[in-house]
Amino acid sequence: MGRTTLVDPPFDAFRALADRRGRPGIRLVEALAQAASETVSGPEAWAPEIAHAFGLPAAAGLGPASFYADLASRHGRRHVRVCTATACFAARGNRHLAEIQHALGLDGGDPQPEVSVQTVRCLGYCYASPACLDGETPCVGPDVADQVAGRVRPNAPPIPTADATGDPIVLSGIVTGEAAWQTWPEAVDRGTPEQVQAAVAASGLRGRGGAGFPVAAKWAAARPSPDTVVVANGDEGDPGSYADRLLMEEDPGRVLEGLALACFACGARRGVVLVRSEYPRALARMRAAVVRAYEEGHLGARVHGSDVDLDVEVVAGAGSYVAGEETALIAGLEGGRGCARARPPYPTSSGLWDAPTVVNNVETLAAIPWIVRHGGDAYARRGTPGETGTKLVCLSERFARSGCYEVELGTPLRWIVAELGGGLRDGAALGVLQVGGPLGGFLAEQELDVPLSEAALSRYGAALGHAGLVAIDDRPRPEDVLRHVWAFAAAESCGACSPCRVGSRRGLELATASGPPGEAYARMLEVMSQASLCAFGRRVPAAVRSLARAYGDRLRGWGG
């Protein structure tokens, strides 16, 4: 029999000091965010003072304040966040950024005490791009600059939503009006953690946040402890997907019920919901839903008369794509920079403040009440034998019928594009289709017969990810799409490891220069894919290679 070797986490001086200072964690980040929102000065002017107020050295404040986009960006009294992610790029080539800057009198781009602009990726309005947030007011559509200028009223159309399965699971509340919190009272009254675990194991449910790890296996890996914590990850913002925003805004009770069941199964008495700062309405809806859950007895001490105690809090992210990776997310909850950490140890054995920590995506949790109520076998009959169940698929603005659809895994991608999406709007021709976010991959039109599954997409160098589908028509030049991918990688790399930090910046330099990339380029891609610390750096080369393959001769040499 083999032996399991426990690996102690590496010593972290700042983490140890913060532990001795009462674990300020997210309170430190919130204080930094408040200070950042009140000045156009850089973090060096205010972050050390905030850190000192918590009994921490200046570096403990400067670290996160210089890392997270929301904190590092200079804020005028009016702060506008402009989306430049793939769907907005595909809609208008990101020309809306310059138009918004002009409308605000910031043609030079520099922030002013009265007004400032921050570019972000993404705001979750991919179905109606381009978009920006004026403070917390969304402005969405082709006239977004006019909305910011006050020439027309701000507009934020609701997410078009439909079920394509005939029996929705994740969208059961939104599409059919099925109320949340129907499963939880019975589970804590007459059920056991083992029964919940068994139902999820029988379902074959895999994480819907991109990694696709079996949920039951992750739960089982969390060693029993009174300190165990379960985190609902609403900070995984793959540009092109807005499913998490939809669920948190329109059915927050179902997300919380799934979190409660996950806590019950793992023996956790504490749950945390992390919501992207780019989703202010979702943050407000989740917080209101937590208040209602306590009022209705779903949370708190001795839930529904049982011996189960469960407390849940909702916290806001601070603007970083990589901070959705589970180890980076945990670092952020501890008040540090949202950088990925080496594994092992895995979060399930040593996560938040070294306690066993389970991180599940919002869509993953939203499926659990249905599974526990109807049985794991019923869920397993959906989808494919290897990848069971349903998936929320988000179609971008370039589609004739953009929106969020629930489909069974294994559904042909061409049927989703042609039947659900109605093809591209105005009869435009498809250039490439981005699947699963910037690091998911790209497909050419002739490759769309592939089933929607991780296994099938991997044969084309793509990945399922959040299953956002961003159509890029034949207007943008392939070279501009390539630069867009490398620009995203360079901007969002956390910098924790040199293969990703150096490789993403070098890739952008080469893509910006004229001419072929050179002989060292292929070696750089290989080093990134093999030696990067987390999936972000390892997936960038695969995404670039899939783009080069999809465009063929038009990007010859860029696949490495």
Side-chain angles (χ1 to χ4, degrees), residues 10 13 74 78 92 107 165 220 233 260 273 288 293 327 333 342 442 488 500 557:
R74 310 296 179 93
R78 181 186 184 187
R92 299 198 59 240
D107 295 280
T165 70
N233 188 355
V273 183
T327 63
L333 290 176
F442 296 84
F488 175 87
C500 179

Side-chain angles (χ1 to χ4, degrees), residues 232-374:
N233 188 355
D235 196 33
E236 294 183 310
D238 269 352
S241 176
Y242 40 90
D244 288 355
R245 183 170 80 82
L246 172 70
L247 293 170
M248 290 188 289
E249 289 183 1
E250 302 303 328
D251 203 4
R254 196 168 312 277
V255 176
L256 289 177
E257 185 178 20
L259 175 61
L261 288 164
C263 289
F264 183 56
C266 296
R269 296 183 296 187
R270 180 188 174 201
V272 178
V273 183
L274 181 65
V275 184
R276 304 181 69 223
S277 66
E278 295 90 342
Y279 290 174
R281 187 166 178 257
L283 182 64
R285 290 287 179 90
M286 290 302 304
R287 283 176 169 162
V290 167
V291 171
R292 287 195 303 273
Y294 274 101
E295 292 172 347
E296 295 169 1
H298 301 309
L299 302 176
R302 297 188 60 81
V303 172
H304 294 301
S306 71
D307 59 357
V308 174
D309 297 335
L310 179 58
D311 288 303
V312 171
E313 64 176 323
V314 180
V315 300
S320 169
Y321 177 84
V322 175
E325 191 273 339
E326 61 180 11
T327 63
L329 178 152
I330 289 167
L333 290 176
E334 293 175 345
R337 294 162 63 92
C339 296
R341 291 170 171 169
R343 291 175 286 187
Y346 292 91
T348 49
S349 61
S350 180
L352 185 62
W353 300 112
D354 296 330
T357 304
V358 172
V359 181
N360 286 143
N361 162 260
V362 161
E363 184 182 341
T364 307
L365 293 171
I368 290 172
W370 192 99
I371 291 170
V372 175
R373 187 175 182 85
H374 296 273

Side-chain angles (χ1 to χ4, degrees), residues 106-112 115-116:
L106 294 176
D107 295 280
D110 295 327
Q112 303 297 327
V115 64
S116 54

Side-chain angles (χ1 to χ4, degrees), residues 457-515:
L457 288 168
S458 67
R459 293 195 288 270
Y460 292 85
L464 180 63
H466 268 70
L469 303 184
V470 178
I472 300 175
D473 59 29
D474 57 1
R475 293 175 304 166
R477 299 186 310 157
E479 296 86 349
D480 293 335
V481 180
L482 176 71
R483 275 191 291 272
H484 174 78
V485 173
W486 277 116
F488 175 87
E492 296 294 344
S493 171
C494 75
C497 67
S498 55
C500 179
R501 180 181 66 251
V502 176
S504 60
R505 294 173 185 174
R506 181 57 180 155
L508 178 59
E509 291 173 359
L510 292 170
T512 303
S514 58

